[in-house]
Amino acid sequence: MKYWIEKTLVKGRQDREQGERALGRALWSPQKDKRGADIYKNMREVNPGDVIIHLIDNSEIAGVSTVNAKAIESHGISGTDWDGPSYLIELQNYTHLNPAIPRDKILTIENKSLLFEIRDESKVFYNKKLELRQGAYLTPCPKKLVALINRTYQDLSNNNLPYINISDLENINISKSQIFSSNVLKQAISDSGLSYSINLITRFTASLLTKPFVILTGLSGSGKTKLAQAFVQWICQDESQYRIIPVGADWTNREPLLGYPNALKPEEYVKPDSGVLDLIIQANRQPDLPHFLILDEMNLSHVERYFADFLSVMESKEDIPLYAEGTVQNGVPAKLNVPSNLFIIGTVNIDETTNMFSPKVLDRANTIEFRVTQDEMKNFLGNIRDIDMGALTGKGAGMAKSFLEMAASKDFATTDIVEINAALVQFFSELKKTGAEFGYRSATEILRLIHQLTVLDNTLTVHQKIDIAIMQKLLPKLHGSRRKLCPVLETLGSFCITGNVSIIKDVFDKADFDYNGANVLYPLSLEKIARMYRGAIDNGFASFAEA
């Protein structure tokens, strides 16, 4: 049994709306096109029992039927473009789909990789632009394409397509070839009842793609852990791919994460109860699947004490030694590779019980600050919904391979590179005055971040991307006394705005200043610099992290 797609116009065509050649009753076509080309040869390949999927009016898959008999030679309809010798194939058992499958549910950017793979294997009904192919009246429908159409129909109706043989599709995995889409992620998060700005989700995903270590800081209860949890549940196939670990205030070494050799039983290595070691071992065994370690309240203990091994191998790419080679026999490797498909997300709160991060830590991460604006709070209070985290589970698992491929990219920003470089050099010279200048690593990661932002959202302007990079990679290392910071903050603030403006009087001291005004180049950064300036004035000291 073969599967075919009939691409036909029905609306306004009497022969397709009723009679022996109506939709679902017959396939019919000329034997040759106007040039005499044999473009309808597929009609001769159709056999009784084959399944026909009907794509009508260039817009939707409306029904499915089966073939009753092979093609016979007939004659077209006088006065139409299909007048002359024709083929006629009798169909039976036409079943109308309820609902019909919109064409744009199949030919989507999310399915692009799979659709291209199918197109490389067969002459299907669409072209490389994912548009309908002209002259393709009857085309093969490979089983991968049947599986994609069937899955789409399942999503719409909770039913399988009629007449397909499900056993034909059992070994076809169509989820692995979807292209990662932040828009799909945003919609899934919104549908679950969580409320995050589109910009924040874009920044979070771009940061993970740039480097697999992200720190989420900011207002307590603003959704830092929930965003991390939502993302990993969405993109992972099952719970074995991630761990959410609450950091203890008593973590003084690596044992809570990596375990230790048993001194009383040298042949045994004691794994940590947290499951982190098992997660990393599994990540090494499953390189095509992303794995995630979420360290909640990461700064309850000194990060450099328990996380030093990870900080080191992030740059050296060396293995972490666990024990002397040949002494342990319980399946734990002597040296642990931290693979590129392991992503680490740390959440941070600032109060009297927590510890500050050193520049060494901040320099290796993208740091994203969570704030809640008045408008966001107003919208939340007016639209409180139950949160259904279960609705996210596995929904983005088909994009996991694409996500890893994007993360492996080492491409730099090239568009607007002159303006980007000028802004970075400008900030470098001023940050140097406080000892917070950035090195080659940070400069490289900034250019990669800007590239990933462009890939995820090509509507972002160059100023928006520079603003995000400044906020996440340059400002987090700023800290110090009022005397040390205020002059630098004044200058940095002036870089973020155009026009004849007194940065202190017109911006820092003005409670109702509009940070989204037309003359503001970098609103995120300017608003943060203003808060740090006021903090330094009020308290005599300021840092990026705030309570």
Side-chain angles (χ1 to χ4, degrees), residues 174-225:
I174 60 169
S175 64
K176 292 185 178 180
S177 299
Q178 298 174 35
I179 288 182
F180 180 81
S181 169
S182 60
N183 290 329
V184 175
L185 168 63
K186 293 164 190 173
Q187 187 60 53
I189 288 176
S190 177
D191 291 345
S192 73
L194 293 169
S195 179
Y196 294 101
S197 71
I198 293 174
N199 182 268
L200 181 64
I201 297 173
T202 300
R203 290 170 60 193
F204 175 70
T205 50
S207 299
L208 280 174
L209 290 169
T210 301
K211 190 168 187 178
F213 181 33
V214 176
I215 295 173
L216 309 181
T217 184
L219 183 68
S220 179
S222 56
K224 299 183 292 294
T225 304

Side-chain angles (χ1 to χ4, degrees), residues 215-220 224 246-251 295-306 346-358 541 543-547:
I215 295 173
L216 309 181
T217 184
L219 183 68
S220 179
K224 299 183 292 294
V247 173
D250 60 344
W251 286 20
L295 297 173
D296 198 23
E297 302 280 6
M298 189 178 187
N299 61 331
L300 268 180
S301 183
H302 285 286
V303 175
E304 295 81 355
R305 294 178 179 173
Y306 69 86
T347 68
V348 175
N349 285 314
I350 304 297
D351 57 37
E352 65 277 1
T353 69
T354 60
N355 301 277
M356 296 300 294
F357 284 119
S358 69
F541 181 89
S543 67
F544 181 88
E546 302 176 64

Side-chain angles (χ1 to χ4, degrees), residues 369-423:
E369 183 183 47
F370 281 57
R371 303 288 295 180
V372 179
T373 66
Q374 182 174 326
D375 287 342
E376 287 171 341
M377 180 55 71
K378 183 178 179 180
N379 180 64
F380 173 78
L381 292 173
N383 188 34
I384 293 179
R385 297 184 292 164
D386 289 335
I387 297 174
D388 181 11
M389 297 297 289
L392 292 161
T393 303
K395 295 297 184 183
M399 300 181 189
K401 183 177 180 181
S402 174
F403 178 80
L404 289 176
E405 290 171 351
M406 291 172 67
S409 170
K410 302 304 179 185
D411 292 343
F412 300 117
T414 54
T415 306
D416 302 307
I417 192 64
V418 174
E419 186 172 357
I420 293 167
N421 287 349

Side-chain angles (χ1 to χ4, degrees), residues 22 55 101 124 132 147 150 211 301 338 344 383 390 404 498 509 526:
L55 172 62
I101 306 172
V124 287
L132 300 182
N150 188 59
K211 190 168 187 178
S301 183
V338 179
I344 300 172
N383 188 34
L404 289 176
T498 61
D509 292 343
L526 182 58

Side-chain angles (χ1 to χ4, degrees), residues 254 257-258 269 277 280 306-314 316-323 332-339 342 344:
R254 71 183 194 177
L257 295 178
L258 299 178
Y269 190 91
L277 182 59
I280 300 173
Y306 69 86
F307 203 61
D309 291 288
F310 291 89
L311 294 173
S312 176
V313 300
M314 279 180 193
S316 70
K317 308 303 180 185
E318 299 288 334
D319 294 341
I320 299 175
L322 298 181
Y323 59 85
V332 176
K335 294 182 178 180
L336 183 68
N337 175 52
V338 179
L342 177 69
I344 300 172

Side-chain angles (χ1 to χ4, degrees), residues 427-439:
F427 272 79
F428 177 89
S429 63
E430 196 61 28
L431 290 169
K432 190 175 179 67
K433 296 177 183 179
T434 68
E437 72 272 25
F438 52 93

Side-chain angles (χ1 to χ4, degrees), residues 78 82 85 134 172 174 180 182 264 307 339 367 449 465 516:
S78 299
W82 283 14
Q134 293 298 315
I172 298 176
I174 60 169
F180 180 81
S182 60
L264 299 179
F307 203 61
T367 304
L449 173 63
K465 289 179 280 192
N516 293 310

